[in-house]
Amino acid sequence: MKINAERIAQFLEGKVEGNGNAEVGSFGKIEEAREGQLAFFANPKYEEFLYKTKASVVLLNDNYELKQPVTATLIRVPDAYIAFAKLLQIYEELMKSQLTGIQQPSYIDESAKLGEEVFVGAFTYVGANAVIGNNVKLYPGVYVGNDVKIDDNTILHPGVKIYFGCQIGKNVTIHAGTVIGGDGFGFAPQDDGSYKKVPQIGNVVIEDNVEIGSNATIDRATVGSTIIHSGTKLDNLIQIAHNVEIGCNTVIAAQAGVSGSTKIGKNAMIGGQVGIVGHLQIADGAKINAQSGVSKSIKEKNTAVTGSPAYDYTSALRSQALTRNLPQIEKRLAELEKLVQQLMQEKINF
Amino acid sequence: MKINAERIAQFLEGKVEGNGNAEVGSFGKIEEAREGQLAFFANPKYEEFLYKTKASVVLLNDNYELKQPVTATLIRVPDAYIAFAKLLQIYEELMKSQLTGIQQPSYIDESAKLGEEVFVGAFTYVGANAVIGNNVKLYPGVYVGNDVKIDDNTILHPGVKIYFGCQIGKNVTIHAGTVIGGDGFGFAPQDDGSYKKVPQIGNVVIEDNVEIGSNATIDRATVGSTIIHSGTKLDNLIQIAHNVEIGCNTVIAAQAGVSGSTKIGKNAMIGGQVGIVGHLQIADGAKINAQSGVSKSIKEKNTAVTGSPAYDYTSALRSQALTRNLPQIEKRLAELEKLVQQLMQEKINF
Amino acid sequence: MKINAERIAQFLEGKVEGNGNAEVGSFGKIEEAREGQLAFFANPKYEEFLYKTKASVVLLNDNYELKQPVTATLIRVPDAYIAFAKLLQIYEELMKSQLTGIQQPSYIDESAKLGEEVFVGAFTYVGANAVIGNNVKLYPGVYVGNDVKIDDNTILHPGVKIYFGCQIGKNVTIHAGTVIGGDGFGFAPQDDGSYKKVPQIGNVVIEDNVEIGSNATIDRATVGSTIIHSGTKLDNLIQIAHNVEIGCNTVIAAQAGVSGSTKIGKNAMIGGQVGIVGHLQIADGAKINAQSGVSKSIKEKNTAVTGSPAYDYTSALRSQALTRNLPQIEKRLAELEKLVQQLMQEKINF
């Protein structure tokens, strides 16, 4: 799919400078773009690349004055970055709208209900009594278990697996390989040292506008629901244990893990590789630094913590700095010991 | 599938109070349950919910005295929690026994041998010479490589992949997306800075009654076997490297990783996000706190460690507390330096 | 597939001692090998097992003098370990060359181009305009998106997913369940506390001779490419964020994560569970210890760091040791305080 500069300019209500027939088929960064790509220039730091770029078309701010001739076709717009983002979004929506129909072979149980404009990729499985909303896109190799509900406009990328009885909201995106609704990790120790499984028969509820990265795992509740509230964004390889609840618009970076029954508030920001112990309460707006280990509830809103075990950000940074200086602290202590020893000695001699 | 209170009471040898025809089709927590669900009440902390619950049927201890009228149908039993767990287990077994037959399309090599009462989901692949025991359930999208053996009553959830030649015992459960038998991470550095792959031609042996979470990875041995002994439970996103051996009834929480050739004893408990260096020995019953980094063997049984690098639990907690107090320690030191300076000064003046 | 000692000896130009008709079908470690397996003996530490092994054939150094009779057939070679490695490699290549043809059902878009000697496993999906080189092996259940290019001799293990537009070089191996090209984690905060997705329309480029473990995730760039340069080896469950670039022949151990836009040099060695913050530069040859948290660029080549936050290896080890001794340091300080108190007191009394 190629499009020329003239048509892009019309769409953006911009003005072409150069060859209006120059065609592009994909996007690139101004410093790396190849022929046939569209780039934008907005940040002065990248000015040199404007004059060297191999991009066929470049979006440029109206008020920028050229200092040398440029080989790319230019499109002048009020804000090049916003115009670029607008094109990206249109491109994504176009791609999504083209995904429709049912590829073969796929497996759709006869009791499942599918909405309109649904895409079911090859090798995708839709179990008994599953309900799939309008405009849902199930990429190839997706598994939708029995009694699962997936609401309108949701996208499941290749190889996503949803265990039986889980519920996925509207406008949700889940990336490849993620598993929703596996059994929570619950085993009762027996007298002989072995463990007996505690049945995990709750489910997972994912509300609207949530996005989840690749190869993450969200376990079903023992009883009741593990809940991800609307607008929350989870990165790749994240572990969410049984009966966890995460509030609206919280962001969690890759490889973080939340243990069983912990409740996280809304608008929290949790860094990569953070671990949170089970049965805690994390207040709204909490900020947890990467690699922190949270072992106590965070009760006050908007608290920032770091470290493992984690405590308040400013104190922890001061302690970390002093830890780095421990060799000097120890040296100061040793010198002081010598002096005091000397004073004691002199006192005795005295 | 719905069942009424009268039949549940018969099964549990309990006594109905209220409408014996009330029907339930799933389970809920007393504080969240909806109409058509069964809940239990045992913990006094949740007493208020007994009187507000929307559950249609509630299991209740014989000796509990009602303080108000209740809308749900009650079933009186000696221990409500145990009765509830019993129902859960029956429900799970029922669900499992209903999974049988071979869905199409699936791929079963003609040289593979399948036992009785086996379930093979759509898009599941069974390679050459694979041997699948009785009552094994292979969910949709499972990959079973050539020469793999899977013993009776084992369940592989959607998208589990077992590389060639691996062996899985009886009553094993492996959750979705987990990979068993990928190549160990072995590369020999060459003079030019590049790496040459060391072929990994051992396998993985998983013994009876093991459960493994979702999206975990257990690598095949270079030569010989990576072994998970019977009764051990591994959570989601765990990494087990080549030639590791884990003893019976050990429990490892999510996102922990064990490096190559390390041997872990039996009845150990290993927290989430723990990392264990290669070629170590971890004694039976070791307790390793979440996020610890174990860089030395743990020789004494039942030792508890924490921290990164990890050392004995009590000392490490004391050091962690003092690390938090480092700003005060530094302040005490600075004050002391001033005093001693003053004493030295006075001595000189004196 | 079985082969006898005589033929192995011919191939290795070695000399048989014992029964030349002894057959083997797989490999084992000398201390664990079963009948029908081939093992080697080179490390004197394992000498006792040479006389106890159940292996049918054992490779042995020319210059080793037997101290007792051995039941296995021996093959004498100049270097038993090298001979063993040679057999392993041949075995692997043989297995690979046998993988060819297109299993059914699979889904290959009619616009896709496939090279010669390609293997496409059952349930594998090859999207529109994908280009698959010669001798590429796509195991069962692989997903290759639209416009993906995969160069010669590359192996994708079961369930690997490559999103649209990504490029994979020659001789690359990617293990089961790994996801290449999922969306980068980019969301712009809005005034109402919600997040708006930043479209991620770059791709991932993986150069020649790269190996990637199981269930890893490498995100596509926002614009441009996330790049893994040639010869680099990534272990299981690794997270590589959008726009990261990793130099040639760098090795990263399991469960490590690299945040967005960070550039890592060549010949670096990065331990398991390491986390690296975004937008950093990591110099060539950097050595980052397991579980470290790297929050600042590493500018000097071959620097070794450890800790979270990470700093130079030697100082960090000293600080870690002193942290362990904090209880003693605190005790010394307290004693010194007492002495100084006493001196002050005496001065006053004096």
Side-chain angles (χ1 to χ4, degrees), chain A residues 105-107 123-125 143 161 163 177 179 183 185 187 193-197 199-201 215-217 219 223-225 237-239 243 255-257 273-275 291-293 308-309 311 318-319 322-323 329 332-333 336 339-340 342-343 346, chain B residues 27-29 32 84-85 88-89 91-92 95 103-105 122-123 139-140 157-159 161 175-177 211 214-215 233-237 249 251-255 267 269 273 291 320 323-324 326-327 330 333-334 336-337 340 343-344 347 350:
Chain A
S106 51
Y107 182 103
F123 316 124
T124 280
Y125 182 100
Y143 171 82
K161 290 131 205 133
Y163 278 56
V179 176
D183 282 357
F185 195 64
F187 299 93
S194 71
Y195 289 89
K196 191 174 169 187
K197 185 176 176 71
Q200 305 287 313
I201 52 90
N215 282 348
T217 60
D219 282 353
V223 185
S225 300
L237 292 168
I238 280 178
Q239 150 73 354
N243 292 91
Q255 296 179 315
Q273 298 182 336
V274 161
Q291 287 195 330
S292 297
S308 175
Y311 54 105
R318 176 93 183 110
S319 292
L322 287 170
T323 302
I329 288 178
R332 283 163 58 190
L333 181 61
L336 210 55
L339 281 179
V340 171
Q342 198 183 319
L343 284 168
E346 289 176 8
Chain B
F27 299 85
K29 291 198 283 191
E32 297 173 349
F84 189 73
L88 288 185
Q89 208 179 334
Y91 175 80
E92 291 238 314
M95 279 194 60
Q103 292 183 333
Q104 291 305 337
F123 317 124
Y139 273 80
H157 283 279
K161 291 131 205 130
H175 284 282
E211 181 152 343
S214 300
N215 283 347
K233 312 296 180 189
L234 307 180
D235 201 350
N236 299 338
L237 292 168
N249 296 322
V251 174
I252 307 187
Q255 297 177 315
N267 301 113
M269 299 183 75
Q273 299 182 336
Q291 288 194 331
Q320 282 173 3
T323 301
R324 281 177 80 141
L326 263 179
E330 204 273 345
L333 180 61
L336 210 53
E337 282 172 331
V340 171
L343 284 168
M344 295 296 287
K347 190 190 76 177
F350 181 81

Side-chain angles (χ1 to χ4, degrees), chain A residues 27-29 32 88 103 123 140 157-158 175-176 211 215 236 249 251 255 267 273 291 323-324 327 330 337 347, chain C residues 107 123 125 163 177 193 195 197 201 215 219 223-224 237 239 243 255-256 274-275 292-293 308 311 319 332 346:
Chain A
F27 299 84
K29 291 198 285 191
E32 296 174 347
L88 288 186
Q103 293 183 334
F123 316 124
H157 283 279
H175 283 283
E211 181 153 343
N215 282 348
N236 300 337
N249 296 323
V251 174
Q255 296 179 315
N267 301 112
Q273 298 182 336
Q291 287 195 330
T323 302
R324 281 177 80 141
E330 203 272 345
E337 282 173 331
K347 192 189 72 177
Chain C
Y107 182 103
F123 317 124
Y125 182 100
Y163 278 57
Y195 290 88
K197 184 175 176 71
I201 52 89
N215 283 347
D219 281 352
V223 185
L237 292 169
Q239 149 74 354
N243 293 91
Q255 296 179 316
V274 161
S292 297
S308 174
Y311 53 107
S319 293
R332 282 162 59 190
E346 288 177 8

Side-chain angles (χ1 to χ4, degrees), chain B residues 176-245:
Chain B
T178 283
V179 177
I180 307 290
D183 282 357
F185 196 62
F187 299 93
Q190 306 297 296
D191 290 343
D192 65 352
S194 72
Y195 289 88
K196 191 173 169 187
K197 185 175 176 72
V198 178
Q200 304 287 315
I201 51 89
N203 71 347
V204 176
V205 173
I206 295 184
E207 294 186 352
D208 301 344
N209 303 311
V210 166
E211 181 152 343
I212 303 174
S214 300
N215 283 347
T217 59
I218 303 185
D219 282 352
R220 67 193 314 108
T222 311
V223 185
S225 299
T226 303
I227 306 174
I228 312 296
H229 285 290
S230 65
T232 279
K233 312 296 180 189
L234 307 180
D235 201 350
N236 299 338
L237 292 168
I238 280 178
Q239 149 73 356
I240 305 293
H242 46 179
N243 292 92
V244 164
E245 187 172 345

